[in-house]
């Protein structure tokens, strides 16, 4: 039996409007006292994390996974926006969903968003869980906007790192999944890819 058999949480996908800005929302689990909000990494949407959302929901959490601006089913912000602008959309979405406080979980770019969210709204983020967050001085130095002799090399390194971050674990997943499950995972990753508008978020 594959690792996902016997565990099927019903995922609900919808789009909400927060002041004229559409945000993609994926939810799973029963509404209990503890809400968990998940923010995804750069280049994909919450759809890429379906198994994680299902697993966490099976543990008794209600999970809300948001598509960040410029990703998935969410609208795009203008060129030159910041993580803070993306966090503001997240705050508005959580208010719309009546989520006053939550455990905030973020992967990669989502980790950077969780850090900013928790710093700005400490009473709303009752805990922060960071999964390989795009944060810290090394990351900020790598993504600084500046023309330099190594700019192309840095851009290539960032893109390669993002690809490895999202798709690199597929090889590891092969050790624990059946062929059918791997095919399903591959299709889900492909569908979650946010296209070239994600460059604005990068």
């Amino acid at each position: 039996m594959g690792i996902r058999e016997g565990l099927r949480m019903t995922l609900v996908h919808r789009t909400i409007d927060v002041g004229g800005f559409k945000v993609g929302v994926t939810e799973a689990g029963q509404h209990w006292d503890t809400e968990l909000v998940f923010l995804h990494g750069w280049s994909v949407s919450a759809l890429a994390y379906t198994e994680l959302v299902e697993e966490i929901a099976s543990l008794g959490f209600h999970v809300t996974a948001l598509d960040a601006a410029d990703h998935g089913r969410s609208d795009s912000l203008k060129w030159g926006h910041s993580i803070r602008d993306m966090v503001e959309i997240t705050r508005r979405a959580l208010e719309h969903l009546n989520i006053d406080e939550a455990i905030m979980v973020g992967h990669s770019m989502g980790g950077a968003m969780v850090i900013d969210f928790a710093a700005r709204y400490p009473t709303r983020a009752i805990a922060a869980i960071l999964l390989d967050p795009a944060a810290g001085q090394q990351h900020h130095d790598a993504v600084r906007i500046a023309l330099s002799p190594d700019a192309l090399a840095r851009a290539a390194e960032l893109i390669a790192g993002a690809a490895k971050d999202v798709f690199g674990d597929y090889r590891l997943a092969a050790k624990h999944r059946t062929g059918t499950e791997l095919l399903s995972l591959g299709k889900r990753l492909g569908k979650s890819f946010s296209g070239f508008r994600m460059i604005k978020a990068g």
Side-chain angles (χ1 to χ4, degrees):
M1 174 156 66
I3 65 169
R4 304 306 310 153
E5 289 179 40
L7 174 63
R8 293 286 182 243
M9 298 298 299
T10 301
L11 295 177
V12 176
H13 304 284
R14 60 186 172 129
T15 304
I16 60 174
D17 187 307
V18 293
F21 193 95
K22 291 184 176 63
V23 177
V25 178
T26 298
E27 294 177 285
Q30 300 294 319
H31 283 280
W32 300 105
D33 291 336
T34 306
E35 292 282 340
L36 189 143
V37 173
F38 182 81
L39 304 179
H40 62 79
W42 181 67
S43 79
V44 294
S45 67
L47 180 64
Y49 301 85
T50 296
E51 288 185 1
L52 179 64
V53 170
E54 289 176 336
E55 186 70 36
I56 294 170
S58 77
L59 298 173
F61 291 92
H62 181 264
V63 183
T64 300
L66 302 176
D67 290 344
D70 303 305
H71 292 78
R73 292 165 290 133
S74 291
D75 284 342
S76 295
L77 290 169
K78 294 179 181 178
W79 282 95
H81 70 269
S82 66
I83 286 286
R84 180 160 289 185
D85 297 322
M86 296 170 78
V87 166
E88 179 60 19
I89 296 296
T90 299
R91 182 196 61 77
R92 288 164 47 190
L94 295 182
E95 283 186 357
H96 179 90
L97 296 167
N98 296 314
I99 298 175
D100 297 324
E101 59 180 25
I103 296 169
M104 304 292 292
V105 180
H107 172 235
S108 192
M109 176 190 75
M113 293 174 66
V114 166
I115 291 168
D116 192 78
F117 186 95
R120 293 176 66 201
Y121 307 108
T123 61
R124 302 193 72 171
I126 59 175
I129 300 172
L130 308 175
L131 309 172
D132 195 17
Q137 193 60 46
Q138 182 179 2
H139 173 75
H140 294 298
D141 289 345
V143 299
R144 72 185 184 281
I145 300 172
L147 292 176
S148 65
D150 68 339
L152 284 177
R154 285 190 298 107
E157 184 180 347
L158 286 171
I159 291 169
K164 182 182 177 199
D165 210 19
V166 175
F167 298 102
D169 289 337
Y170 187 82
R171 181 177 46 85
L172 295 173
K175 296 178 182 178
H176 305 285
R177 289 170 171 78
T178 66
T180 303
E181 290 170 334
L182 278 174
L183 183 60
S184 174
L185 177 61
K187 286 180 181 177
R188 193 164 47 251
L189 286 173
K191 285 181 182 178
S192 73
F193 183 69
S194 293
F196 291 107
R197 68 192 186 108
M198 70 183 182
I199 293 170
K200 291 166 67 177

